[in-house]
Amino acid sequence: MRDVFEVGAQDGLARIGELDVPRAGVTVETPTLMPVVNPNLVTVEPARFESEFGAELLITNSYIINNDDDLREQALDEGLHEMLGFDGAIMTDSGSFQLAEYGEIDTDTEAILEFQRDIGSDIGTPVDIPTPPDAEREQAEDELATTQDRLELAETVDVGDMLVNAPVQGSTFPDLRERAGEHAYGTDLDLFPVGAVVPLMNQYRYDDMTEAVLGAKRGLGRDAPVHLFGAGHPMMFALAAALGCDLFDSAAYAIYARDDRYLTVSGTKHLDDLHYLPCDCPVCAAHSPDDLKQADDDTRERLLAEHNLHVSFGEIRRVKQAIKSGNLMELVAARAHAHPTTLDGYRALLDHSDQLEASDSASKGAFFYTGAESARRPEVLRHHQRLDRLDVDGDDVLLTEGDSNHRYDESWNVLPPFGPYPSALATTYPLTAETPERMDRAGYEAAAEGVRRLAAANPDTEFTLAHDGWPETALATVPERVDLYNSATGE
Ligand code: GUN
Ligand code: ZN
């Protein structure tokens, strides 16, 4: 791996990064979205990507170019940047996707990488094998071995200063994804796309996608720039960034526009179902749904594609702002609570709070409790781990949601979902959390788990828990030896 990626602000596994693309002479700030350009089907002129939408990188397919006589001649003659009319950096794919779709292609890693180099690509891709989800283990292992051979072959190709992708495959086997990530990271290739997730995303299987990406991330070093291949729906950008993905590519903006589908951050709408355009972009500000429906096909498709790009880039900016402010998890929760499929993704992410916790910064913006999932966030896990180590002074300690009481040697505060904490920590993250007055069962249960951890770590201390009427399911977790006092009923 060349040293082309620098990690800045972090929030869980998410980060702001800087990717140097030497051949283009630019540094791209990540997370970033690359619009996909199909040179045969241009919906929005690439020249507009940078000035109107803020794209710094685009991705196109060198295999499609190589297989079309006119495009090939033109690309070799004038170069990709001139041909597409784009001054930023250009990534090229290799035909692997066509391989997955049609079963065979007539190129190989060496030839296509040299072609990518010759047409002036800034980031090239070898011919990896995108093993589909739910494959047999044997197929996934065999194809992964082939992909790994191709990556090793790619290392030997003279690509000049073009960066090279090292796709990470492994189908829906997280351990294979991890092994693939480790191998790819060990090559001297530069970027690490997580591959063959398009079928998962097309089926909205964001939980399985989450497992695949987190598997790959466990194998890759923290400094590896990670691309989520084919991730183009803005409803999952926050989740994907939280998984530690740095680059996204959107063909969705154009493909969806072709059949009148309108992207939003909480799902897709069909133009026929829209009475209003619920968006602030220039297209939606200037048009009504009827304007779009009555426009000719090309105009409608272009306007919808422009809207789709505006929403997508807007969401990327929101994700970046959230990473800088340390509240990406709140954005992920907001997106999760808008659609059951993103909720599945968020819940799968929370199954791996320990993996997120390891890179989370200790202090961020205020923690907002926005529903039961918040009780499983890495910050809660970290607080519970900390309870194993915090010192308790005194033999008789009150843990209370209310006021301290001098009859005890010491009083600790209790805040669901975290549980007990010494009052000296009250002004530190995450105990400055904003929580609802009407806490839910999951929050109390997590707090009870905190009480259990503290009691287990201090077997010789007597504890009394004064709670504001916790449900039985939470109290069941509190060890018998902790005295209970219900301040809501006075019992
Ligand atoms: N585009 C979407 N998925 C993939 C993948 O797995 N490999 C390559 N090379 N391109 C893709
Ligand atoms: Zn719009």
Side-chain angles (χ1 to χ4, degrees):
M1 199 177 81
R2 265 172 281 195
D3 189 15
V4 292
F5 189 60
E6 195 172 320
V7 174
Q10 300 189 57
D11 185 357
L13 290 170
R15 60 275 185 93
I16 301 287
E18 287 198 341
L19 177 70
D20 283 333
V21 188
R23 199 172 191 193
V26 299
T27 299
V28 175
E29 189 179 74
T30 63
T32 193
L33 174 64
M34 301 179 280
V36 175
V37 177
N38 179 338
N40 287 316
L41 269 176
V42 168
T43 327
V44 177
E45 290 298 330
R48 301 175 53 202
F49 286 153
E50 191 154 20
S51 55
E52 289 181 45
F53 301 94
E56 296 179 279
L57 257 170
L58 65 73
I59 177 167
T60 189
N61 195 309
S62 64
Y63 180 75
I64 292 176
I65 297 171
N66 196 24
N67 273 34
D68 178 301
D69 290 340
D70 293 340
L71 289 172
R72 184 177 62 244
E73 289 318 309
Q74 194 188 352
L76 285 169
D77 188 39
E78 60 190 25
L80 261 187
H81 293 76
E82 175 82 23
M83 178 172 110
L84 298 178
F86 184 71
D87 291 336
I90 299 183
M91 179 186 287
T92 43
D93 203 351
S94 58
S96 291
F97 198 64
Q98 284 66 26
L99 174 70
E101 292 277 294
Y102 309 116
E104 59 181 316
I105 52 170
D106 52 4
T107 188
D108 58 45
T109 287
E110 196 169 10
I112 202 72
L113 276 176
E114 286 172 352
F115 179 66
Q116 294 174 67
R117 176 199 65 199
D118 292 344
I119 60 177
S121 172
D122 301 304
I123 307 172
T125 310
V127 183
D128 55 306
I129 316 269
T131 309
D134 315 314
E136 295 290 340
R137 175 129 192 143
E138 199 183 321
Q139 180 194 349
E141 286 184 351
D142 288 352
E143 293 182 353
L144 178 55
T146 306
T147 293
Q148 293 178 342
D149 290 344
R150 307 261 173 94
L151 302 190
E152 287 165 24
L153 176 61
E155 290 180 282
T156 68
V157 178
D158 175 16
V159 294
D161 55 358
M162 180 174 80
L163 299 178
V164 178
N165 279 320
V168 175
Q169 299 291 346
S171 185
T172 22
F173 299 100
D175 64 313
L176 288 189
R177 292 280 184 178
E178 181 170 347
R179 200 203 294 170
E182 247 168 59
H183 171 271
Y185 188 63
T187 65
D188 60 21
L189 307 182
D190 308 290
L191 275 82
F192 303 89
V194 178
V197 285
V198 170
L200 292 177
M201 293 187 287
N202 286 343
Q203 296 165 45
Y204 298 96
R205 288 167 60 184
Y206 293 131
D207 45 0
D208 293 325
M209 178 197 85
T210 295
E211 295 291 347
V213 173
L214 288 177
K217 289 289 288 189
R218 287 191 289 277
L220 292 164
R222 283 264 277 279
D223 57 347
V226 175
H227 170 191
L228 192 57
F229 242 143
H233 202 305
M235 72 190 284
M236 49 76 72
F237 290 166
L239 173 65
L243 296 169
C245 297
D246 308 296
L247 297 102
F248 307 100
D249 64 88
S250 176
Y253 79 93
I255 293 170
Y256 283 49
R258 215 162 292 146
D259 35 68
D260 289 351
R261 284 181 294 166
Y262 178 99
L263 296 177
T264 83
V265 294
S266 50
T268 310
K269 307 264 185 246
H270 199 279
L271 180 59
D272 289 344
D273 300 326
L274 288 175
H275 302 278
Y276 307 92
L277 297 178
C279 166
D280 316 317
C281 87
V283 173
C284 298
H287 299 87
S288 70
D290 280 342
D291 295 339
L292 297 182
K293 288 174 203 167
Q294 285 153 16
D296 64 73
D297 288 353
D298 284 352
T299 307
R300 183 174 60 253
E301 182 177 331
R302 180 177 51 77
L303 290 171
L304 281 170
E306 288 174 13
H307 156 81
N308 288 344
L309 281 172
H310 280 298
V311 202
S312 302
F313 280 99
E315 182 70 350
I316 293 287
R317 291 193 294 277
R318 220 171 276 119
V319 163
K320 287 163 78 165
Q321 176 63 38
I323 295 172
K324 286 251 181 175
S325 316
N327 56 19
L328 181 65
M329 286 298 263
E330 277 76 7
L331 184 61
V332 175
R335 298 298 175 245
H337 293 139
H339 202 286
T341 59
T342 41
L343 181 58
D344 278 331
Y346 182 35
R347 287 180 172 165
L349 172 74
L350 293 168
D351 288 343
H352 296 277
S353 266
D354 51 342
Q355 194 176 338
L356 268 68
E357 194 275 333
S359 59
D360 207 14
S361 44
S363 185
K364 309 196 283 191
F367 177 110
F368 279 30
Y369 191 95
T370 59
E373 283 73 27
S374 302
R376 295 173 61 213
R377 281 178 48 169
E379 292 91 339
V380 178
L381 184 74
R382 175 179 288 181
H383 183 71
H384 288 175
Q385 288 164 353
R386 194 175 184 190
L387 286 172
D388 299 340
R389 303 186 308 266
L390 281 174
D391 281 334
V392 172
D393 298 322
D395 303 324
D396 196 6
V397 174
L398 175 68
L399 312 175
T400 176
E401 289 191 272
D403 295 332
S404 57
N405 186 314
H406 293 297
R407 278 193 287 133
Y408 296 86
D409 296 339
E410 195 182 8
S411 292
W412 282 33
N413 302 340
V414 175
L415 177 67
F418 301 99
Y421 64 92
S423 46
L425 292 183
T427 55
T428 64
Y429 187 85
L431 299 160
T432 46
E434 300 276 353
T435 62
E437 285 295 319
R438 295 158 186 249
M439 181 48 76
D440 50 32
R441 192 179 288 269
Y444 292 124
E445 288 170 6
E449 169 61 13
V451 173
R452 190 192 66 74
R453 299 273 294 242
L454 184 68
N458 298 276
D460 301 327
T461 308
E462 285 195 30
F463 291 102
T464 302
L465 172 66
H467 62 91
D468 294 340
W470 289 8
E472 278 306 322
T473 51
L475 295 174
T477 298
V478 177
E480 295 235 339
R481 71 177 190 84
V482 174
D483 286 335
L484 296 176
Y485 175 75
N486 183 337
S487 358
T489 62
E491 286 164 4

